Amino acid sequence: MKKLDVIVVGELNVDLILNGIDGFPVVGKEILADQMELALGSSSAICASNLSSLGLKVGFLGMLGNDVFGKFVIEQLEKKGVDTSMIIVEDDLKTGATIALSYGEDRAMITHQGAMKHLTLDDIESDKLHQAGHLHFSSYFLQPGLKGSLDVLFQRARQLGLTTSLDMQWDPAEQWDLNLQKTLPYVDVFLPNETELQKLTGAPDLEKAIQAVQDMGKYIVVKCGSKGSVLSYEKKTIEKPAFLNEDVVDTIGAGDSFNAGYIYQFIKGASPEKAQIFGNVTGAVSTTQAGGTNAFTNLAEVMKLAKEKFNYTEG
Ligand SMILES: Nc1ncnc2c1ncn2[C@@H]1O[C@H](COP(=O)(O)OP(=O)(O)OP(=O)(O)O)[C@@H](O)[C@H]1O
Ligand SMILES: [Mg+2]
C-alpha cells in the first residue's frame, strides 16, 4: 500500500487579488482598490488541493521561499489535507506571487515567479516519487529549472510503476518549446486546453491538433472552456458538452478542477468517458464559487452541488 495516491509536482505561489479598482494603473499615479484577497495561487496547488478534497491522499513537491507567502501556501495546502512534507523551502529564495487586478470578467496579472524557477530534476528524487501511485505535473513553462527534462521525469515515474498525468499550461513566452514526441509516450493522461494544444502542435484547428498527438499518448483530454471537453483514445474522439453554469462566479481554476475530477476517476479505475464527464462536472462546480478551491470541501459536498446545480448523480 502506497503512502500517497498522488504526488503533484509543480509551481507554487500566492495570488493577491484586487477588486473594485478605480480605473487602470498609470505610472506616477496612485489608484485605489475597494477589495483585496490573498489566496492560494498556482495551477498545481489548486489541482492538488481539490484532489485531496475529493478524498485522495495527496502529497506536493515544489519549491518555496522561507517567507510569509511560503508559510501561507503551506498553511492553505495543509488546511485541505495535502501532505506538504516534500515541499522544499529555500532560505535565499522568495515565494512567487501573482498580483491580479480584476476588472469584471477580465484580469490584468503580474507574476514574480520566485522559487518555482529553481526546482530541478535532482529535487524530484525517486524515493519521493515511489511513495505515490500517480504523478501529476503542471505548468512546465513556469519552471525553467525543468526545461528539457520533462521526458526524463515522466520516464522515471513510469519505471517506478506510477501512472502519470500532465497539464503543461500556457507558455507566457509563447515559444511552446516542449518535445511532446519524447514526453507523451510516458504520459497516461494529457490535459491541455484547446488553445494550448493548437499552439504546441502548430495545427490550424482542434481536430488536426488532436490528430498530431493521438498516437503519442494514451488519453488526450482537451479542455474547451464553456464548450466542455474532447477526449481522444484508441482512435476514438468523444465530445462532451459542459454542465453549463448560468451564473458563473469566476472561472479561476476551472481547468485545474477538471484535472482533479478526471484524475480522481482515472485512479479509481473508471472508464475514460466517465472520467471526462466527471472532469466537466468538477470544472463546472469550480465556477460556482470564487477562486479555484472554495467549491471543494469534500466529495459529499461536491456531489451535492453537482446534483443540485447540474443534475449529475453518478459517483
Ligand atoms: N462557464 C462554464 N460553465 C460550466 N463549466 C465550465 C465553464 N467554464 C469551464 N467549464 C468546465 O471546466 C473545464 C475546464 O475549463 P477550461 O477549458 O477553461 O480549462 P483551462 O483553460 O485549462 O483553465 P485554467 O485557466 O484553469 O487553466 C471545461 O472543460 C468545462 O468542463
Ligand atoms: Mg489550464
Side-chain angles (χ1 to χ4, degrees), residues 68 77 87 105 109 124 147 157 171 174-175 228 253 280 304:
V68 176
L77 284 170
I87 292 178
E105 294 265 297
M109 295 189 280
I124 313 165
K147 196 175 159 89
D171 179 6
E174 297 210 38
Q175 300 293 311
N280 279 344
K304 191 165 160 243

Side-chain angles (χ1 to χ4, degrees), residues 43 167 169-170 191-193 196 223 255-256 259:
S43 155
D167 182 347
Q169 298 282 12
W170 187 256
L191 294 150
N193 73 24
E196 291 157 357
K223 293 164 281 180
D256 311 310
N259 295 349

Side-chain angles (χ1 to χ4, degrees), residues 35 39 47 138 228:
Q35 298 132 37
C47 180
S138 182

